[in-house]
Amino acid sequence: MLTLQNASEQAAALAVLAALYGAKPMPELLSELSQEQQLQAAMLADMWQLPAISTAAADVLAQTLTSQGKLSEAATDQLMYMQAVPNWLQPLMQPVLLSVLADLDECWANANLHHKLLRLPLHNMELLLSSSELKVSHRQQQAAGLLWTAHSVTV
């Protein structure tokens, strides 16, 4: 039994069901949803084992990220703190992380970003720190190593 928590999840579920029964093409259905609802639709499709629909939703989110350079704060937060990331969503994770946390100097200076950085699940911390696009000063390289060590010990 599926329990929907709010109207946002209901809209996402309705879009998945409409796509499943061919009411409209998935990209068209997704264009009517917020980014957070698009992600919810992708997760519901994954849960219901509908890979074509979950992949289509991930593609729409990837196109949004490419064209706008970032996703909404709600969708970004939802992605950043996922404990388990499905395979179809993994290519989206590093660009999402970098859209928020690309500059470690800024992360140390900004309390909100610092908090976001420290809350990352281990797999996302690994993904962020392994990026060649991460902006790290020489001084911050040592701090990143310490952060990595502290994070892997506490998780």
Side-chain angles (χ1 to χ4, degrees):
M1 180 171 155
L2 175 67
T3 303
L4 301 173
Q5 303 296 320
N6 54 45
S8 177
E9 287 182 0
Q10 182 180 2
L14 288 173
V16 172
L17 292 173
L20 179 62
Y21 290 103
K24 290 182 185 176
M26 192 61 180
E28 185 179 334
L29 289 165
L30 290 171
S31 69
E32 299 168 3
L33 300 176
S34 70
Q35 291 173 7
E36 185 177 15
Q37 290 170 325
Q38 290 171 357
L39 183 57
Q40 290 167 342
M43 297 306 290
L44 285 171
D46 186 59
M47 183 174 68
W48 294 336
Q49 299 180 2
L50 303 168
I53 295 173
S54 57
T55 301
D59 289 346
V60 168
L61 288 167
Q63 290 170 2
T64 301
L65 183 60
T66 300
S67 66
Q68 297 177 9
K70 64 179 182 175
L71 296 177
S72 70
E73 187 173 346
T76 299
D77 285 349
Q78 195 173 354
L79 282 167
M80 285 175 53
Y81 303 117
M82 275 185 181
Q83 293 300 319
V85 180
N87 287 340
W88 53 267
L89 197 51
Q90 288 181 357
L92 191 59
M93 293 305 295
Q94 194 170 56
V96 166
L97 291 168
L98 288 169
S99 73
V100 178
L101 303 169
D103 187 337
L104 279 187
D105 285 328
E106 186 178 353
C107 289
W108 289 119
N110 180 310
N112 183 40
L113 291 178
H114 193 200
H115 180 72
K116 286 179 183 263
L117 180 67
L118 293 177
R119 286 186 44 220
L120 287 178
L122 181 60
H123 59 90
N124 282 348
M125 182 66 78
E126 290 174 335
L127 199 56
L128 178 67
L129 293 177
S130 69
S131 173
S132 62
E133 296 177 39
L134 186 65
K135 297 174 188 162
V136 183
S137 67
H138 179 68
R139 183 175 57 103
Q140 292 296 338
Q141 286 176 345
Q142 294 174 339
L146 291 173
L147 173 67
W148 173 246
T149 302
H151 194 280
S152 56
V153 169
T154 60
V155 171

